[in-house]
Every structure is written in structure tokens, then in C-alpha cells.
Amino acid sequence: MNKNRPVNLDISTIKLPAAALVSILHRISGVVLFAVVALLLCMLDASLESEQGFADVAAAFDSIPAKLILWAALAALIYHLVAGVRHLLMDLGIGETLEGGRRGAVMVLVVAVVLILLAGVWIW
């Protein structure tokens, strides 16, 4: 056994490549979307129960915390969509090289940030 192996890796000191970061964020955005769907279905249920329920849900969307939650949900959706398109292109054989994967990952990050900021402007 090699005794020079690291025993405890400090994850915060490891510099991840862009493709790894995109992959991790894609998984996180999927989990966030799963949770947000439950929240939105509860709000849909409340809004369909009565006119008062609809008015309550509509009034809730006027608050700052609700707008932040909506923006976070849209951010997760946008990021997941953009990263998913990258995966579909890679399934078609586009961007499978090391350099293509790095460029595709950087493009995902840039496009997602721009679209998320535009969604934020649209919500406010």
C-alpha cells in the first residue's frame, strides 16, 4: 500500500474543471426543480379551490420573498435546460473532445447566467 496517499482531501481546495462544475450544478438544479414542483403544485391547488384562494396566491406573488423564490425556480429551470441541451448535443457527438467539453461547459455557464439575469429583470 502506498503510504504517501492523502488521508483527508479538503474539497474546498480542489479546483474543479468547468465540465465538472457544470455537471454538479446540473444535478443540483434538478433536485431544486423537484422541490419547486411540489411547492408550485400546492400553490396551484390552493388557487383552484376558490376565488379567495386564487386571490391569496396572487397576493403572495407580490411579495419580495415570493419573487425571490420564483426567480430561483426559474434560474434552476433555465440552468437545467441549458445544461440539458449541452448533454443532448454531446449525445449527437458534438463537443465530445476535451477542448470541446471545456468550451461547451463555459458556454453553458455564460448563457445560463445571461438568461437567469434576464429572467430576474423580467420578474421585477
Side-chain angles (χ1 to χ4, degrees):
M1 179 184 281
N2 186 1
K3 296 189 190 268
N4 293 331
R5 288 182 20 190
V7 177
N8 291 323
L9 288 177
D10 185 8
I11 299 291
S12 65
T13 62
I14 297 174
K15 182 172 175 9
L16 294 173
L21 181 64
V22 166
S23 178
I24 291 168
L25 290 175
H26 188 233
R27 293 167 194 262
I28 291 171
S29 68
V31 171
V32 169
L33 284 174
F34 184 77
V36 165
V37 165
L39 176 67
L40 292 177
L41 284 175
C42 287
M43 294 178 83
L44 177 64
D45 182 49
S47 71
L48 293 176
E49 283 182 3
S50 65
E51 289 183 26
Q52 182 60 38
F54 180 83
D56 293 341
V57 171
F61 274 115
D62 288 335
S63 69
I64 299 289
K67 286 185 179 184
L68 286 174
I69 291 171
L70 182 61
W71 183 63
L74 280 175
L77 180 63
I78 289 167
Y79 183 82
H80 201 75
L81 175 72
V82 173
V85 168
R86 174 180 177 256
H87 280 287
L88 289 175
L89 290 174
M90 289 179 72
D91 286 344
L92 295 173
I94 301 170
E96 286 185 326
T97 64
L98 185 62
E99 182 62 24
R102 188 191 65 76
R103 285 185 182 179
V106 170
M107 284 175 45
V108 164
L109 292 171
V110 170
V111 169
V113 165
V114 168
L115 291 176
I116 289 168
L117 290 175
L118 287 174
V121 168
W122 177 67
I123 288 175
W124 298 100

